[in-house]
Amino acid sequence: MGGLLQALVGVSEKAAELARLCRREEPLFQLLVAEKTGPDRNRRFLQDFKTLADVLIQEVIKHDLGKEFPELQGHIHGEESNEFRDVQGGTVAVRVCATREDTVALLLSVLGPEQAAAELLADAVHRDVVLGDVTLAGAKPGVSPRDLAVWIDPIDSTNEYIGGREDVPPVDGIAPAGLCSALVLVGAFDRLSGRPVLGVINEPFFRRDPQTRRWQGRYHWGVAHGDTRLCSLSPPDPHPVPRVVLSRAEGAAVRGALGPLCGGRLHFAAGAGYKMLCVILGLADAYVLSEGTTFAWDACAPHAILRALGGGVVALEGALRARREGRAGDPPELVYNRPAEGAGGAERWANRGGLVAYLHPQHLEAVLGALATVPGL
Ligand code: 2IP
Ligand code: CA
Ligand code: CA
């Protein structure tokens, strides 16, 4: 048996394959495409199908990790609920069954007559993933699954995944939108402290194979545990003039405050996970978000990788408050074991008050300095 890190990468590979499958195979792809143009009578079903890709991926990850590491059972959480409307309008709990045939039958209760689609999905669900990654095999984080819990975002940037644009030209290496910003995020955090410990980001749509035209993915992983720092990537060099990546939803005040710091040039991208990946890869020096519109499952995996590389993700509101009050010490980082007080549903796990993801402390300092003047932050 490999370690937990290797298992997280393995499940992310299976998830990425499921994400690619849902776009590649005709019966599945038709259902995705039809969502945009389909007749009204299909709307509910297609909406459900869209979610089925996410729900199924999350259940597969939960199932495979829980099977290999029974200590993790009950501690694997994700964005989605597995409750699903079936074709009769009843409720079905999507899960991985003991046999491929049982999984096919369960999927058919959601997909209706789409036998081929159900079979393709079940094949991928029950297939074993073999990783031929020597560096990963040699990584020994020294963590015990008993101390950890997991956050899964089965598909981050669902809108871009469904939209599927392949021709969005990058700006300084950063894709402003498109299929490549759809990512699988699997992160593990310390149950007691809430700190992120292991992170895997999988890019299912990294590039097309020039020969076969099939999508090829890639993955990145990181470990930040005690004094141990391990990563599949080396820390990138900082840009002399900082590059900041933002959500297109970011308001004028934040744009106005950060513009001068970045030589008047801000970058924009879709997907919370993708923007953090841009920082991890050194395409950007910081990702700033002033609102609580991301969740624990968006940030946990990228945060672990950022910490592995010497950076982190701070809670923006708390960091600005500490600064105003002149408190010494490092600004507070996001934690993953504390639901927001007084909130219900997904909001319990919102990263309230926004965040800053960074790699080099001087950029965090510069960004916080610039944002300190923004009224209302
Ligand atoms: C979303 C997704 C969005 C992001 C939002 C996330 O997750 O990453 O793209 O907004 O914060 O919660 P933006 O693109 O404006 O940064 P999901 O796609 O999983 O709902
Ligand atoms: Ca997300
Ligand atoms: Ca998602």
Side-chain angles (χ1 to χ4, degrees):
M1 185 179 82
L4 180 57
L5 175 66
Q6 289 76 8
L8 295 183
V9 172
V11 292
S12 86
E13 283 286 84
K14 198 188 261 197
E17 190 49 38
L18 280 164
R20 282 188 292 266
L21 188 68
C22 288
R23 292 203 58 84
R24 182 173 71 222
E25 295 298 337
E26 208 47 30
L28 297 167
F29 184 63
Q30 279 314 315
L31 295 169
L32 280 177
V33 172
E35 196 207 24
K36 288 185 290 188
T37 53
D40 275 357
R41 71 184 166 80
N42 273 345
R43 198 152 280 163
R44 186 202 64 79
F45 171 71
L46 296 166
Q47 179 61 36
D48 280 357
F49 174 76
K50 171 185 109 170
T51 327
L52 179 64
D54 296 31
V55 172
L56 184 64
I57 288 173
Q58 182 173 306
E59 284 309 305
V60 168
I61 294 179
K62 247 190 190 171
H63 171 268
D64 287 10
L65 286 180
K67 195 170 159 196
E68 192 169 348
F69 302 96
E71 318 90 292
L72 277 179
Q73 282 171 19
H75 298 277
I76 308 173
H77 314 288
E79 176 180 18
E80 309 290 343
S81 133
N82 72 339
E83 294 274 294
F84 218 88
R85 260 177 301 166
D86 64 16
V87 276
Q88 271 98 41
T91 305
V92 60
V94 171
R95 61 189 173 83
V96 178
C97 302
T99 66
R100 175 196 175 275
E101 284 60 42
D102 290 351
T103 301
V104 170
L106 188 131
L107 289 172
L108 279 175
S109 70
V110 176
L111 290 168
E114 300 289 340
Q115 178 81 29
E119 299 214 358
L120 283 166
L121 286 173
D123 282 341
V125 164
H126 287 273
R127 196 174 297 139
D128 283 333
V129 172
V130 183
L131 297 169
D133 183 333
V134 184
T135 316
L136 175 66
K140 301 271 185 292
V143 293
S144 162
R146 227 173 303 120
D147 301 328
L148 301 180
V150 173
W151 276 118
I152 304 163
D153 190 341
I155 298 176
D156 185 47
S157 241
T158 319
N159 288 342
E160 301 304 316
Y161 176 66
I162 301 289
R165 279 175 297 166
E166 298 182 20
D167 54 353
V168 187
V171 179
D172 295 326
I174 297 174
L179 191 52
C180 66
S181 34
L183 306 177
V184 177
L185 310 172
V186 192
F189 62 93
D190 186 289
R191 285 182 207 174
L192 275 182
S193 70
R195 285 199 200 101
V197 176
L198 308 174
V200 177
I201 298 180
N202 202 308
E203 303 181 66
F205 306 99
F206 170 55
R207 60 164 196 187
R208 276 202 189 271
D209 182 303
Q211 251 95 57
T212 64
R213 304 297 299 147
R214 280 207 170 190
W215 280 108
Q216 290 180 328
R218 64 171 179 175
Y219 56 77
H220 318 282
W221 53 264
V223 178
H225 179 242
D227 292 332
T228 304
R229 297 287 183 273
L230 303 168
C231 193
S232 58
L233 297 158
S234 312
D237 291 328
H239 295 98
V241 177
R243 279 192 196 164
V244 175
V245 64
L246 301 173
S247 162
R248 219 159 258 105
E250 200 58 68
V254 168
R255 293 183 186 209
L258 293 172
L261 183 71
C262 306
R265 246 174 116 234
L266 293 167
H267 289 75
F268 296 91
Y274 180 75
K275 285 187 274 291
M276 286 187 251
L277 177 62
C278 286
V279 179
I280 288 166
L281 296 174
L283 299 168
D285 299 291
Y287 160 39
V288 175
L289 178 67
S290 66
E291 308 265 348
T293 50
T294 67
F295 301 86
W297 48 83
D298 290 313
C300 184
H303 191 171
I305 303 178
L306 284 162
R307 280 176 65 82
L309 292 169
V313 183
V314 304
L316 178 56
E317 198 181 4
L320 290 177
R321 197 181 315 118
R323 202 184 158 87
R324 286 194 190 109
E325 292 168 2
R327 263 184 272 148
D330 293 334
E333 297 219 7
L334 294 185
V335 288
Y336 298 93
N337 62 346
R338 261 188 251 151
E341 275 170 43
E347 278 306 308
R348 293 176 73 222
W349 298 105
N351 300 315
R352 280 181 167 179
L355 58 83
V356 181
Y358 71 98
L359 260 187
H360 300 280
Q362 73 268 28
H363 289 136
L364 174 63
E365 180 51 33
V367 162
L368 292 177
L371 292 175
T373 60
V374 177
L377 276 194

